[in-house]
Amino acid sequence: MTTPPTTPPPAAPATQFMPPPPPPYAPAGRGRRWRGAVVAAVIAAVVAAGLGAWWWTRGDDGPLAGRPRVTDTEAGLSYGIPEGWKHDGKKKLIDAFTTGMTKKSREDAYGKGTGGGFVAAGKAGRVPEAALARQTERAARSNAVFFYPEGSSELKESKATTVDGHTAHTVALAVKDGEGGTAHLRLTLIITDRNRTAFLLGLGMPGTGPEREEVDTVLSTATVL
């Protein structure tokens, strides 16, 4: 008589058209806590961004009219840059992102960061329209765990939308960081063509500060190349 295995069988492979959530994704124990200044460390983490993946343009319409824009040829997206935000092509990105930018945290009288922002674009595999809402919500929660492994998140918004005429879905989460602070996370997943999707991820801290509005504004300026 054989002893049954003590470990469960491996999980069945995911359906072919279902990619993992738009990264970054990490188990709770291996994520990194996000604070205003730490956002820069996330951008500077592992793999150099392709310097040919972006260039500056000027936006003529919309809420960031006249402001520079990032044109991300790898993700197939363009998005605006608010005043006070910085995009540096010489920085490094984890390989989940193709472009990104930050707003440096402010410091209070004690020298502690009191706010900041982070926006990044990236590309993912094919997602059918019927699965777009589910995948966007899953990806948003995964990113919340990655940036705030000791926190928790609450779904505030999940809506079908369009980006430059392309089918998309947007999710917003209110995130508790586990230390008494809050953050605002917004993720838009866009079907750019039949074979792929692209995403824009934004984080603003605190979740009730001007960074929240700026993150939402940046995502609202997205266009598909």
Side-chain angles (χ1 to χ4, degrees):
M1 178 174 176
T2 2
T3 306
T6 55
T7 55
T15 309
Q16 186 175 0
F17 61 70
M18 294 290 286
Y25 175 80
R30 298 182 63 185
R32 61 178 68 194
R33 187 178 294 108
W34 186 77
R35 289 285 183 276
V38 180
V39 172
V42 174
I43 286 186
V46 185
V47 181
L51 297 183
W54 63 275
W55 60 85
W56 300 107
T57 57
R58 287 273 174 182
D60 297 324
D61 301 310
L64 295 178
R67 291 292 306 160
R69 292 180 65 85
V70 176
T71 297
D72 186 330
T73 57
E74 286 191 53
L77 298 176
S78 174
Y79 53 95
I81 305 173
E83 184 76 31
W85 288 67
K86 183 179 181 181
H87 179 301
D88 187 350
K90 297 179 181 180
K91 293 279 186 182
K92 294 181 178 181
L93 295 164
I94 58 175
D95 57 358
F97 302 134
T98 47
T99 53
M101 63 180 178
T102 58
K103 180 178 183 180
K104 189 177 180 181
S105 63
R106 304 182 302 275
E107 290 188 353
D108 60 20
Y110 301 98
K112 294 180 65 177
T114 60
F118 173 58
V119 171
K123 56 185 179 180
R126 185 168 71 92
V127 178
E129 188 172 344
L132 194 61
R134 182 172 68 252
Q135 280 293 96
T136 309
E137 290 180 13
R138 179 187 171 203
R141 292 188 186 280
S142 295
N143 278 280
V145 170
F146 179 87
F147 286 103
Y148 300 96
E150 297 175 7
S152 60
S153 62
E154 179 185 353
L155 182 65
K156 290 294 186 181
E157 183 180 12
S158 180
K159 66 178 182 180
T161 185
T162 58
V163 172
D164 203 17
H166 291 254
T167 300
H169 198 90
T170 292
V171 166
L173 301 178
V175 185
K176 294 181 179 179
D177 65 5
E179 294 185 353
T182 62
H184 170 67
L185 185 151
R186 181 174 289 270
L187 177 72
T188 298
L189 184 58
I190 307 143
I191 300 177
T192 55
D193 57 37
R194 293 183 180 180
N195 298 314
R196 67 172 186 169
T197 58
F199 67 90
L200 264 181
L201 166 72
L203 283 168
M205 184 173 182
T208 54
E211 290 79 11
R212 169 180 177 151
E213 295 178 8
E214 290 172 339
V215 161
D216 290 352
T217 298
V218 172
L219 269 64
S220 76
T221 68
T223 57
V224 176
L225 300 180

